[in-house]
Amino acid sequence: MNINKDLIIKYNQPVPRYTSYPTVPFWKDFENTENWKSAFSKQFSIDNKKEGISLYLHLPFCESMCSFCGCNKRITTNHKVEEEYLEVLKKEWQLYVDLMDARPVLRELHLGGGTPTFFSPQNLERMMGFIFESATIHPEHEFSFEGHPNNTTRQHLQTLYDLGFRRLSFGVQDNDAEVQRIINRIQPFENVRRASEEAREVGYKSVNFDLVYGLPKQTESSIRKTIAQTISIRPDRIAFYSYAHVPWTSRGQRLFDENDLPSAVEKLQLYLAGKEMFAEAGYSDIGMDHFALPHDDLYAAWQNGTMHRNFMGYTTQKTRLLLGLGVSSIGDVGIAFAQNNKTLQEYYEAVNAGQLPVTRGFLLNDEDLNFRQYILDISCKGETKFDAAHLPLLREFTFPELELLKADELLTFDENGLKATSLGRHFIRNICRAFDLRLLRNQFVSDSQVFSKAI
Ligand code: SF4
């Protein structure tokens, strides 16, 4: 599909990624943890019985710093840090177990980072041991982890497989040597191939690759080569992320010469080249930046409208309660969000003092809950239906925005609902923004110094 370049430039504005609504800049510092504790306990007793819960474990250490990275991580080559971290994580888990009125039923579990495979297989096994000791595993569980191709060993793969993990995601980013040099992530393609082949041999049923477009020095020809190599391995899913240039929050990005970054139009060209190659290779575009082969579960969930999105990204499971453990982790209990301390020292101090380490978050009101659902529908399905009770707000804030998007043929809508067009699917973040009442009412927060650009 040829997308008009003026349209790209017009919509390449700072827009949230909408992994939460209200988005993080609107969250507030907590005066204490009582509201979060009571929201957690209340929702846990409802959701755990009904559908089980999701658990995210943040493992923050990396051996070297990739300068493009916006994650919360701690760079070290000292593996002794694993011990202390796991001790504190265990205590944090126990603080939550004490708030639960029943044994938690684990339905979805994700190890993210940082680099989870920085931890030794033995320590990962020990960690899962103390989690499983107080939990029941849901019969339809989905356990996944992020692996670094450079340090994911066969033993990591086997240990986690034996613990019930069936899905993993490799951070590949880009295979070009010059791009890797600039982003300080030297990762021979051979490592990616080896790790993927071993994962398949061990029995993983879904291997995902994360690729990034818009990195310094990337060109259409270099990204085409990366994608051709990627396709040759046939990962079941591919996340093709836009590089978010936010040097005001990610210090490593300040090392980049901004002249090396592709322009907005060049960046979209990179995206379109990828999209075209994925389609030719049999991958379907299933939502914001994600592509999957037809045999993958996420593809089926997209097809039958059951795909879900939370802080872990797109998922096949619909559990409303997501508990995040570890430094900087985010929890989402449906009616409230909370984020843990972002520095290791503060995180350790809080947990060692017997306190939940949450420091900021948001308690949603009814309006937030309703508009959050619209945003979720659009992110996961590209369409939504309107509730007549919300029409006054929709008419005041959302419909004027939708009229502008409709004029550019990005969607169709009436007072019953909306549907993104195939062109509009490239601009899902911009469509979601029309439902972001907090942003539309409060232009003083945000934009250029808070959110990354849409493309
Ligand atoms: S991209 Fe991954 S490995 Fe690199 S610094 Fe960030 S979290 Fe660590």
Side-chain angles (χ1 to χ4, degrees):
M1 174 187 291
N2 281 328
I3 302 181
N4 179 307
K5 287 189 177 157
D6 293 338
L7 206 56
I8 297 159
I9 293 164
K10 177 174 173 183
Y11 286 103
N12 191 27
Q13 303 298 329
V15 193
R17 286 181 194 268
Y18 292 112
T19 46
S20 73
Y21 179 74
T23 54
V24 174
F26 288 93
W27 296 8
K28 298 189 174 65
D29 290 341
F30 285 156
E31 281 171 17
N32 57 56
T33 59
E34 292 312 307
N35 285 341
W36 168 248
K37 274 189 194 167
S38 79
F40 175 84
S41 303
K42 180 175 159 205
Q43 285 308 116
F44 177 84
S45 75
I46 301 168
D47 295 343
N48 188 53
K49 250 184 266 152
K50 225 194 261 174
E51 58 206 12
I53 68 163
S54 294
L55 183 62
Y56 171 78
L57 303 175
H58 190 76
L59 301 173
F61 304 109
C62 303
E63 287 201 338
S64 68
M65 158 120 152
C66 312
S67 46
F68 73 95
C69 174
C71 301
N72 184 296
K73 71 270 175 193
R74 173 65 71 94
I75 310 299
T76 178
T77 50
N78 174 10
H79 282 259
K80 291 201 182 112
V81 295
E82 295 177 34
E83 285 296 320
E84 184 180 14
Y85 194 77
L86 291 190
E87 280 312 307
V88 179
L89 200 69
K90 183 178 178 181
K91 287 184 195 163
E92 188 191 6
W93 170 237
Q94 191 56 49
L95 291 173
Y96 277 102
V97 169
D98 292 344
L99 293 176
M100 298 171 181
D101 62 355
R103 229 175 134 76
V105 179
L106 288 184
R107 186 155 185 178
E108 196 171 4
L109 172 69
H110 185 70
L111 313 183
T115 306
T117 47
F118 173 99
F119 284 71
S120 68
Q122 295 75 9
N123 276 338
L124 291 174
E125 189 171 7
R126 186 153 69 87
M127 176 180 80
M128 296 320 309
F130 66 68
I131 298 285
F132 290 166
E133 203 176 279
S134 345
T136 299
I137 296 175
H138 193 284
E140 292 169 22
H141 64 274
E142 184 173 295
F143 295 171
S144 56
F145 71 96
E146 291 162 21
H148 194 312
N150 284 358
N151 67 9
T152 302
T153 63
R154 192 166 187 115
Q155 206 192 338
H156 280 112
L157 294 166
Q158 191 64 55
T159 300
L160 290 168
Y161 184 87
D162 293 344
L163 289 163
F165 288 73
R166 293 292 178 271
R167 192 163 81 71
L168 84 163
S169 179
F170 285 121
V172 175
Q173 329 304 357
D174 192 290
N175 294 331
D176 183 80
E178 177 64 357
V179 175
Q180 289 191 1
R181 187 185 64 76
I182 298 235
I183 63 171
N184 193 40
R185 188 184 174 100
I186 309 302
Q187 176 181 274
F189 179 60
E190 216 20 66
N191 293 3
V192 177
R193 185 189 295 285
R194 177 207 49 85
S196 307
E197 285 173 0
E198 287 186 351
R200 291 228 165 89
E201 283 162 20
V202 168
Y204 284 85
K205 68 172 189 164
S206 180
V207 176
N208 175 86
F209 279 13
D210 285 352
L211 302 179
V212 179
Y213 65 93
L215 290 169
K217 292 281 187 192
Q218 254 178 354
T219 62
E220 190 173 331
S221 121
S222 77
I223 209 160
R224 280 185 181 275
K225 190 165 169 214
T226 290
I227 292 169
Q229 287 173 320
T230 296
I231 287 170
S232 74
I233 297 180
R234 306 280 304 156
D236 307 272
R237 300 178 193 173
I238 298 169
F240 192 42
Y241 293 116
S242 167
Y243 162 63
H245 191 57
V246 285
W248 50 91
T249 54
S250 293
R251 281 161 59 193
Q253 297 180 354
R254 293 179 202 159
L255 302 171
F256 293 160
D257 179 344
E258 297 205 351
N259 295 319
D260 288 340
L261 292 171
S263 68
V265 171
E266 287 164 343
K267 193 172 173 188
L268 193 87
Q269 220 47 56
L270 300 177
Y271 174 68
L272 293 177
K275 207 173 148 60
E276 174 196 299
M277 290 180 76
F278 298 141
E280 279 168 6
Y283 289 85
S284 290
D285 183 346
I286 56 171
M288 264 188 255
D289 319 319
H290 285 68
F291 300 83
L293 287 173
H295 66 258
D296 192 83
D297 291 350
L298 200 61
Y299 176 86
W302 172 66
Q303 283 277 325
N304 60 31
T306 57
M307 198 164 75
H308 184 57
R309 183 169 167 84
N310 59 24
F311 279 101
M312 300 191 292
Y314 281 113
T315 72
T316 54
Q317 305 281 0
K318 194 170 189 308
T319 47
R320 270 168 304 182
L321 191 140
L322 167 64
L323 171 58
L325 301 182
V327 64
S328 79
S329 273
I330 292 176
D332 172 1
V333 297
I335 55 171
F337 300 111
Q339 180 162 29
N340 279 354
N341 294 93
K342 288 189 185 171
T343 69
L344 267 183
Q345 196 189 339
E346 287 170 320
Y347 168 71
Y348 287 167
E349 278 170 11
V351 177
N352 285 329
Q355 290 159 9
L356 291 186
V358 291
T359 56
R360 64 195 306 265
F362 201 91
L363 302 176
L364 285 78
N365 62 28
D366 286 347
E367 182 191 293
D368 296 324
L369 290 168
N370 295 331
F371 279 71
R372 179 187 190 192
Q373 190 56 49
Y374 290 135
I375 288 174
L376 204 54
D377 285 348
I378 295 164
S379 310
C380 296
K381 298 187 263 189
E383 60 184 59
T384 191
K385 292 207 180 336
F386 301 139
D387 184 325
H390 310 151
L391 283 174
L393 277 173
L394 288 164
R395 287 189 194 117
E396 184 178 354
F397 294 101
T398 302
F399 289 173
E401 301 286 324
L402 295 185
E403 287 295 350
L404 300 174
L405 297 159
K406 186 177 168 183
D408 284 326
E409 299 178 1
L410 303 187
L411 52 83
T412 54
F413 85 101
D414 59 22
E415 296 215 333
N416 296 312
L418 83 71
K419 190 169 170 51
T421 60
S422 52
L423 176 63
R425 283 201 162 256
H426 297 277
F427 299 92
I428 285 289
R429 281 167 78 174
N430 303 81
I431 299 176
C432 289
R433 187 183 179 281
F435 295 83
D436 187 340
L437 298 192
R438 298 225 166 235
L439 188 62
L440 295 172
R441 284 189 184 119
N442 296 281
Q443 289 295 346
F444 63 90
V445 179
S446 103
D447 295 80
S448 57
Q449 290 299 299
V450 178
F451 303 115
S452 61
K453 291 191 174 175
I455 292 160

